[in-house]
Amino acid sequence: MAPKGPYKLCTVNTAPERAKRLVGRVVLDVKEEYTILHVENAERIEDVKTMCERNKPDVLFCASMWTKEESDEIQRIAKETVPGIKTMAIPQGLQVEKGPDAIVEFLKEKWPGLVEA
């Protein structure tokens, strides 16, 4: 069966190389089931709106360095800018507490429920 997608993904992460690396691992791990295109990362909350306008992503991830309030704001901006976008915040501190493997596993576990809901 052909993979579902492609899904355009944007991320909001103050460490763009880490975002690219971790999302790259997820993309490879799920490529049999899903085609995910990581199109852009924003490093600042004030850049989320223009990134979403430019790319019209299907999905947006907030990285674990944002507080709950910041993640809520990022997701609100994305949803106002791109109707129907699916958003998810990685739990604050997950990268620091459990490392990059925990982020990859979290994203792989949550992806199907997010995009197929």
Side-chain angles (χ1 to χ4, degrees):
M1 193 165 88
K4 296 175 183 169
Y7 297 95
K8 288 194 292 183
L9 169 67
C10 285
T11 52
V12 186
N13 189 322
T14 59
E17 284 308 310
R18 182 175 20 188
K20 187 176 180 180
R21 190 169 56 250
L22 295 181
V23 168
R25 285 177 55 191
V26 173
V27 168
L28 283 176
D29 287 354
V30 303
K31 71 180 182 199
E32 299 297 319
E33 294 90 28
Y34 302 97
T35 301
I36 304 170
L37 308 171
H38 186 207
V39 292
E40 190 174 345
N41 179 73
E43 294 180 46
R44 305 175 320 151
I45 294 173
E46 47 272 25
D47 296 332
V48 171
K49 183 174 177 60
T50 54
M51 175 179 69
C52 287
E53 288 171 340
R54 186 169 41 249
N55 294 290
K56 303 274 189 282
D58 302 296
V59 182
L60 178 135
F61 290 160
C62 301
S64 62
M65 77 272 304
W66 304 108
T67 65
K68 167 96 169 77
E69 293 74 22
E70 289 167 330
S71 288
D72 288 350
E73 175 70 2
I74 290 165
Q75 292 177 85
R76 183 191 61 74
I77 293 166
K79 288 176 178 177
E80 284 179 0
T81 308
V82 182
I85 190 172
K86 310 281 187 167
T87 66
M88 183 174 60
I90 297 166
Q92 184 179 8
L94 187 60
Q95 166 81 26
V96 172
E97 292 168 20
K98 298 198 174 162
D101 291 346
I103 299 285
V104 172
E105 289 309 310
F106 177 84
L107 294 175
K108 285 169 39 181
E109 180 183 306
K110 299 293 185 187
W111 181 265
L114 183 67
V115 298
E116 295 180 20

